[in-house]
Amino acid sequence: MAQAPADPRDGRGGADGSDAVELGGYRQELKRTLGSFQVFAISFAFISVAVGIFGTYDDVLRSAGPVGIWLWPAAGAGQILVALVVAQFAARIPLSGSSYQWASRLATRKVGWGFGWLSFCFLAVAVVAVDNALASQAFMPLVGMRPDEDAARVITLVVLFVQTVLAIASTRIVSVINTAAVGIEVALVVVVSIALAVAVLVTGDGAADNLTSRGVTA
């Protein structure tokens, strides 16, 4: 008979989280086959770091000018605090179920049920939105297709189908594809950053005044 779930806040969890898993009524059965970079790549791809950077940077330039870049350290500090809280939860309650498990054990199962459905709705909407953006903003312009929302929706459905097949077929295949894509993405960001720095040094067009300028928004 399985042991009743215990409160992981009592501090009895082992250093590797195995004790907390057993206290939660689970047995340690999952084979941990993903490496450190593969785990990083999953998180990196999930929150779309590069897409967010390019999107928000353009918005900052249009609404605040170059000086808006100083908002990033403040936002970054807040995000680090959120990440530390999530890391603490993951270390104390290392069970499947994400926010459902955390909310259920920190509050009540009814609250956890609500969090679980909110997470499900978010993931369902986010995956479709990202795939649609891939179709309409990246794939169609790349292959020379004219803007057409109906065509974008068909391509989105095809992408969703391929993703579903890959996820069902093998976690390892998904991990390899995702790791390769994130590796290329990170490398490109580094290359672009270095290229921009070199261009500023060579042309001499860079100016420290840009860091406090409102630009055309003034």
Side-chain angles (χ1 to χ4, degrees):
M1 183 174 181
Q3 182 180 1
D7 190 343
R9 292 172 290 180
D10 59 9
R12 290 181 289 172
D16 61 352
S18 58
D19 292 346
V21 171
E22 294 177 359
L23 289 173
Y26 291 81
R27 288 190 302 169
Q28 186 74 13
E29 296 178 331
L30 180 63
K31 294 182 179 179
R32 304 181 186 278
T33 58
L34 300 180
S36 299
F37 185 80
Q38 291 172 318
V39 174
F40 159 77
I42 291 174
S43 302
F44 189 93
F46 178 78
I47 59 179
S48 303
V49 174
V51 175
I53 288 176
F54 288 111
T56 56
Y57 186 62
D58 176 71
D59 186 63
V60 166
L61 290 180
R62 292 176 181 275
S63 60
V67 71
I69 194 69
W70 295 109
L71 293 173
W72 284 19
Q79 291 300 306
I80 289 175
L81 293 177
V82 174
L84 290 174
V85 172
V86 174
Q88 179 71 5
F89 283 166
R92 297 286 300 220
I93 317 175
L95 304 175
S96 61
S98 183
S99 56
Y100 164 76
Q101 288 284 7
W102 297 340
S104 295
R105 295 166 193 278
L106 293 172
T108 66
R109 292 186 177 180
K110 291 182 178 179
V111 173
W113 181 88
F115 270 80
W117 272 105
L118 285 174
S119 298
F120 175 81
C121 293
F122 158 71
L123 292 172
V125 173
V127 170
V128 176
V130 170
D131 286 352
N132 183 260
L134 170 67
S136 61
Q137 305 299 320
F139 178 78
M140 293 176 65
L142 186 64
V143 299
M145 296 178 61
R146 64 180 182 83
D148 186 338
E149 186 57 35
D150 290 336
R153 290 170 181 166
V154 173
I155 296 173
T156 300
L157 290 175
V158 173
V159 173
L160 285 169
F161 176 76
V162 172
Q163 291 172 332
T164 302
V165 171
L166 288 175
I168 294 174
S170 172
T171 301
R172 174 63 62 182
I173 294 176
V174 174
S175 176
V176 170
I177 295 174
N178 186 69
T179 301
V182 169
I184 295 173
E185 185 175 354
V186 172
L188 288 175
V189 170
V190 172
V191 170
V192 170
S193 301
I194 294 175
L196 288 174
V198 171
V200 169
L201 293 175
V202 172
T203 62
D205 290 338
D209 292 341
N210 286 334
L211 297 177
T212 57
S213 170
R214 289 293 308 278
V216 296
T217 62

